[in-house]
Amino acid sequence: MNRIPHFVDGSRTTMIEAGGDGRHGEVFDPATGQVAATVGFASAAQVDAVVQVAARAARDWRDVSLSRRANVLFAFREIINARRDELAAAITAEHGKVLADAAGEVQRGLEVVEYACGIPTLLTGNFSENVSTEVDSYSLRQPLGVVAVISPFNFPAMVPLWFVPIAVACGNAVVVKPSEKDPSAAVLLAQWFTEAGLPPGVCNVVHGDREAVDALLDHPGVRAVSFVGSTPVARHVYTRGTAAGKRVQALGGAKNHMVVLPDADLDLAADAAVNAGFGSAGERCMAISALVAVEPVGDDLVARIVERLGRIRTGDGRRPGCDMGPLITAAHRDRVAGYVAAGAADGAKIVVDGRGVPVDGDDAGFWLGPTLLDQVTPQMSVYTDEIFGPVLSVLRVDSYDAALELVNANPYGNGTAIFTNDGGAARRFQHEVEVGMVGINVPIPVPMAYYSFGGWKASLFGDSHAHGRDGVHFFTRGKVVTSRWLDPRHGGVNLGFPTQT
């Protein structure tokens, strides 16, 4: 059985066999149900040791030139690009998503690395000459120091890559606490940052559960925390972190709707609903879980989805031809299956039942096939709760206004999509809907890296979204300088071509 390495300072690998009280976790292969590795859970004292290493490294890293930081990011990008198959394989082995989906996760994370490579431009300030007589003013953005990234299980590479490259590029040192369910991707990324030339201690990984999380939230040496996960935990992270005086961005859960108007291309809409509802076994914060059919298209749309679900092959993500893998743990699979039973008990119609689906894989894997529920109402738990699994609920409404009211009444506000050929309806929807990310004939509207990712309402705690300009601002703080120079100095004559070091 493998033991997951714990990075203390990003340059040397050490093992935490267990935390101070002997605690450790088991990492499963979801496709076989077997324990594949163990990982020791860091105690609060061990978290403190890692933060101290990061704090020492941050003092030097902040003074490294922007061009050298960019060079490290470019080298890091090339390593990921060359070894993306290795990273995708590690994701599939521990998370369960099929290799093609894991490769897509790596690609989306790589886009943020490429954005961070432009840090010399992203940190440019403003300058005003002669704001008063012989007085100039200019603005700077400077790093915070040590920042923490607490990452979820569903995107073990992409979510760390949303935050770490930008935080490092801005001059900070980072402590990453990955999910204990699939921690190896974060370890690989830390190794590759070291290979790219990042100094020891700038990128660190600490494993653990809530004790490690709370230790990071309470630690006075941690200046900011980035988190992605469920809404209850996001609320806890935000409340505890801000109480300790930290800057916090905590991205929570979702109940993403896809509204289909009567004029929509129903084949396009059916394809999109299946792709967005069942990709990564529905374990995506941007998955479509509520399909809102504006009548009279409900029956036709459901029939087209059923036809497509019949072609989905559930199985081991490492096997060719499999479209959807297992869920992350047996407990989570059972929880999702429980929602299917609850939906039926509440009066929903089970059109396609994923329980007991035939699979191309080990019978002991954590399987649940694509599930389609129709005639769902807003009072049912399959609608009110974030299920985080391969369950798509169909709700039927009579008008655009009823669809909009349904979406806006939901406590979550992460993302939503509308499918229509009516430009006026689409424009009205993007203006009126109360969510952070909107797709028009695009089912999963995840922004490109140079825009920012984040929702509204109970899907976000804090004022900053992930990556893009919001990310740069989150990992830096502003400073304005007002200066007067009465006797300018000269540097002498040098006819050589000027260089940046």
Side-chain angles (χ1 to χ4, degrees), residues 16-26 39-43 46 180 207-209 212:
I16 285 187
E17 299 292 347
D21 56 1
R23 296 175 308 110
H24 66 279
E26 295 177 331
V39 57
F41 287 174
S43 65
Q46 289 165 326
E180 65 276 17
H207 299 299
D209 54 5

Side-chain angles (χ1 to χ4, degrees), residues 148-321:
V149 174
I150 304 168
S151 179
F153 74 80
N154 60 321
F155 287 106
M158 186 182 73
V159 169
L161 289 173
W162 277 358
F163 303 112
V164 178
I166 296 177
V168 166
C170 289
N172 302 284
V174 185
V175 178
V176 181
K177 208 299 286 183
S179 170
E180 65 276 17
K181 298 180 178 68
D182 48 5
S184 291
V187 173
L188 281 174
L189 293 172
Q191 288 176 316
W192 295 350
F193 250 131
T194 300
E195 292 179 26
L198 194 68
V202 178
C203 181
N204 313 273
V205 178
V206 61
H207 299 299
D209 54 5
R210 179 166 177 161
E211 180 176 338
V213 170
D214 286 347
L216 288 169
L217 295 175
D218 295 341
H219 200 292
V222 175
R223 301 295 181 86
V225 177
S226 298
F227 170 86
V228 177
S230 68
T231 286
V233 182
R235 184 179 288 110
H236 167 77
V237 168
Y238 180 77
T239 301
R240 188 157 182 160
T242 54
K246 303 184 193 316
R247 182 179 294 184
V248 179
Q249 52 180 176
L251 283 68
K255 196 68 182 182
N256 302 314
H257 299 73
M258 175 175 153
V259 176
V260 181
L261 298 186
D263 69 309
D265 181 322
L266 293 188
D267 282 321
L268 175 65
D271 287 341
V274 172
N275 293 340
F278 304 109
S280 195
E283 293 174 326
R284 293 172 174 162
C285 65
M286 289 296 287
I288 293 297
S289 57
L291 180 60
V292 183
V294 179
E295 296 292 27
V297 302
D299 289 344
D300 195 356
L301 185 58
V302 167
R304 293 174 195 241
I305 293 173
V306 170
E307 188 272 330
R308 286 159 173 79
L309 292 185
R311 300 196 296 266
I312 290 182
R313 185 176 176 183
T314 303
D316 190 326
R318 294 161 292 206
R319 297 186 183 184

Side-chain angles (χ1 to χ4, degrees), residues 364-378:
F366 309 140
W367 309 110
L368 181 67
T371 299
L372 180 65
L373 303 179
D374 194 8
Q375 306 296 336
V376 173
T377 65

Side-chain angles (χ1 to χ4, degrees), residues 443-484:
I444 305 179
V446 177
M448 295 297 290
Y450 36 84
Y451 285 91
S452 297
F453 178 102
W456 290 7
K457 298 188 285 190
S459 294
L460 176 72
F461 297 86
D463 298 322
S464 295
H465 292 182
H467 59 70
R469 284 285 178 181
D470 274 19
V472 174
H473 284 188
F474 181 79
F475 290 117
T476 58
R477 50 187 173 180
K479 179 182 288 185
V480 177
V481 179
T482 303
S483 67
R484 170 184 287 138

